[in-house]
Amino acid sequence: MTASPSRLGEGAEPRVVSVNVGMPRDVPWQERTVHTGAWKYPVTGRRRVRRLNLDGDGQGDTNGHGGEIRAVLVYQIQSYQHWRRHLKRDDLTYGEFGENLTVDGLPDDEVCIGDRYRIGTAEFEVTQPRVTCYRVGLRLGQPDMAALLVAHHRPGFYCRVISEGFVGAGDAIVKTASGPGGLTVTDTDALLYLPHRDVAKLRVAVTIPALSPGWQSSFHDLLQTKPAASPPGADVGWTGFRKLRVAEVVRETETVTSIYLAPEDGRPLPAPRPGQYLTLRVAGAGSPPPVRTYSLSSAPDADTYRISVKREPHGLVSGYLQSRLLPGASLDVASPRGEFVLDGGADPVLLLSAGIGVTPVLAMLQQLAAQHSERDVWWIHAARRPAEQALGGEAHKLMASLPSAHEHIFYSAYRPEELRVGWATAGRLSAESLQRLRPPTDASAYICGPAAFMTDMQRALEALGVAADRIHTELFGALSSINPGLTDRTAVPPHPPEGPVGTGPLVTFSRSGLSVPFDTPSQSLLDLADECDVPTRWSCRTGVCHTCETPLLAGTVDYSPDPLEPPPEGRVLICCCRPTTDVVLDM
C-alpha cells in the first residue's frame, strides 16, 4: 500500500490513517546483524493498545524505544508528503518511519509535551520526540535519515498509554488535555539536538511531568553546564600534545618509577583535578610512537606533574620510561583529563586501591590533606609486600595528617617481621575482609587497580549497601560499547583492519593501544574503529546525538555531513568525520 498523503482540511478533525505493527527481526547491515522492530506494516481492523505497545507489536532495543514512556510512536501523513518531495520518492508506505499510528494532523510544531488525546477507546499522553536512531535510516535505505528528521523539524513523537483500549484506521483524534508549559515536540527536539538553545524553554522543559525521565535528565545537565574555572595564572588545559620536560626520574621500588614533568615553554601547568590522568606519546619507544595513559600521582597544586609507572613484563613503553628515559628529555603530553575525580562534598570518602592503582588515590589524598579536610577518610589498599608497595610511605603520612583517617593495608605475600605496624593485615583484600572492616555505606567510593579487582570491590561495596551511583572506578582501557541493536558483537582485542594497509593519515586509538593508517574506502573514523574491533559508542551515526563524541588528543578532521551541532573544542564526532592529518583519539 503506497501512502497518498493529503493535507488536513481547515477545521477538519485529526484522524488515524493507518495502524502499523511489527515484531523485532534480525536484519543484515554492514556485515553485521541488527535486531530491530523498525519494520512496521499496516493492519486491518482494530488493535488493542496495552500499557507497553499494541498487540502484535514489539521493539528490538528497549533502551531507546518502547516501555511505558515510549509505548506508541506517532507520525503524520503531512511529513510523508514532505519526505516524498525532499527524497524524490513515491514508494513510502505507512509504517516505514517506524510509527504505530500514521495520522492526518497533529503536526510536531503544534502538539505539546503532556498533551492528551482520546483515540478510539484508548487515551494517550505525549512524552517526547522520536529519538535519533540509525535504524529509521536502515529501514528507508537513507543512512542520514536521523539527521534529516531533526534538521527538517519532523521527528514525530512518542506517547504513553493512559487508558488501554482499541484503535483503528479512521478513528477520530480528540484532544482531552493540554500539556503544561506549551512546549511543542519541535521545540523539545531542538532543545536536545540543535545549537543556540533557548534557556527559558529549557527551564520550562524540566518542569513538565509528562516529559520522559531521560530527556528530563539531559535538560537538567544542559542547564547545569558551566565553563570550567581556570586556576589563577594557569592554562585551562591545552589542545593536542604539548612538550613537557622530564625534570626528575625517581626509582620508587624495583618495578615502579616516578617521572616528574615540567613545562618546557615556561607557561604554568593547569592544576588537574585529583584523580585525572595524562596521555603520553612516547617517540623513543617505537615507530609509530606508542601512546599510553598514566594517572597523576602528584598534588593538584604542584608546579610539576608526576606519573608513577610500573614496569610490565615485555612492556615496550614502561621499559623505555624506566630504563632509558633521562632528565632533560622531552615527552609529548596531552592535557589532564578523566572523570574519575574526587568530589567536593562532606560525606565520607572510601578509597580502595591495589598495586599501582594507588596513584590516583594518592592525588586525592594530597587534595584532602591540603584542604585539612575533616571528612571521614578510609584508605584500603592491597599489595604483595611492603618492599613492593610503591608510594606507601607517602600515602601513610598524608593519612596521618587527616583528623579522621582509617588506614588498612593487606599484604598477600609477606614476611612476619613486615607486619609490625597496626594498619597492616596478612592476606588478600576480599569481599569478606572488606565486610569485617565495616566501612561507611554512605561514602563516596573510588576504586583503582586491575580490572578484576575493581569488579570484585564494586560488587562487594554494593553488597554492603553502598549505592551504585556512589561507586567510581578508574578505567584506562576502552570504554564499554554502546551499539544499539547489534546482536553479533563478540569481544576480540583491537586489531588492524583486514585487507590492504590503508594509505591515509595515521589513526591512533590511545586507549586501545592501536595505530593504523586510515583506510580511504572507510566513510568515517567510526567505520574504521568498527573494522578494527575498537569498542565504539554511537546511536544515530549521522552527527546528531553526540553519543560518539570522543576527545581528539592530536590532529585535525573534516566532517561529511556536517554535524547539526558542532562538538566542543578538542572533541570530535567520529560517526561523520575523516582525518585530514594524523590523529590520536581517546578511545
Side-chain angles (χ1 to χ4, degrees), residues 206-450:
V206 298
T207 67
I208 301 175
L211 184 63
S212 68
W215 286 61
Q216 285 264 10
S217 177
S218 295
F219 291 153
H220 275 293
D221 290 344
L222 288 170
L223 283 171
Q224 293 170 4
T225 299
K226 298 178 180 177
S230 59
D235 297 317
V236 187
W238 61 86
T239 301
F241 286 92
R242 176 180 172 184
K243 292 286 187 185
L244 296 186
R245 176 177 53 84
V246 177
E248 191 176 4
V249 178
V250 176
R251 179 63 60 91
E252 305 286 359
T253 69
E254 290 183 1
T255 60
V256 175
T257 296
S258 289
I259 299 167
Y260 292 78
L261 300 168
E264 272 197 350
D265 54 13
R267 288 185 296 130
L269 296 174
R273 299 168 68 192
Q276 289 191 308
Y277 60 82
L278 294 180
T279 299
L280 278 60
R281 184 167 58 192
V282 188
S287 181
V291 176
R292 296 292 187 271
T293 297
Y294 300 100
S295 287
L296 283 155
S297 58
S298 50
D301 60 352
D303 57 3
T304 59
Y305 290 156
R306 180 179 67 179
I307 59 172
S308 301
V309 179
K310 179 183 178 183
R311 181 161 190 170
E312 302 294 344
H314 313 294
L316 177 69
V317 176
S318 64
Y320 171 82
L321 294 176
Q322 288 213 8
S323 62
R324 296 168 56 192
L325 187 69
L326 297 175
S330 292
L331 290 174
D332 292 331
V333 183
S335 185
R337 65 186 64 246
E339 299 303 318
F340 181 74
V341 294
L342 180 68
D343 65 43
D347 56 336
V349 179
L350 180 55
L351 308 171
L352 291 94
S353 53
I356 197 61
V358 70
T359 50
V361 165
L362 192 59
M364 294 179 185
L365 289 175
Q366 298 269 15
Q367 176 85 345
L368 291 165
Q371 295 173 340
H372 306 289
S373 175
E374 296 184 359
R375 298 173 73 173
D376 193 18
V377 179
W378 290 62
W379 177 43
I380 305 173
H381 182 70
R384 280 179 45 80
R385 298 176 51 235
E388 299 176 26
Q389 184 187 348
L391 307 169
E394 183 176 336
H396 175 65
K397 289 181 181 178
L398 291 168
M399 289 292 290
S401 72
L402 296 169
S404 183
H406 309 264
E407 181 177 352
H408 301 276
I409 311 298
F410 288 79
Y411 294 117
S412 59
Y414 61 92
R415 297 171 186 155
E417 65 272 15
E418 294 176 325
L419 293 180
R420 293 175 179 170
V421 291
W423 60 83
T425 302
R428 294 184 179 276
L429 175 55
S430 64
E432 292 75 19
S433 55
L434 191 62
Q435 186 174 18
R436 287 195 295 270
L437 292 176
R438 301 179 66 181
T441 57
D442 60 343
S444 293
Y446 302 86
I447 312 172
C448 188

Side-chain angles (χ1 to χ4, degrees), residues 458-490:
Q458 182 169 1
R459 290 173 179 168
L461 290 178
E462 289 177 354
L464 287 173
V466 180
D469 61 358
R470 299 178 70 88
I471 302 174
H472 312 278
T473 57
E474 176 59 290
L475 179 63
F476 284 157
L479 300 174
S480 57
S481 297
I482 299 176
N483 302 159
L486 293 190
T487 62
D488 54 354
R489 297 288 282 179
T490 55

Side-chain angles (χ1 to χ4, degrees), residues 140 173 569 580 586:
L140 291 166
I173 302 174
E569 184 179 359
T580 54
D586 187 22

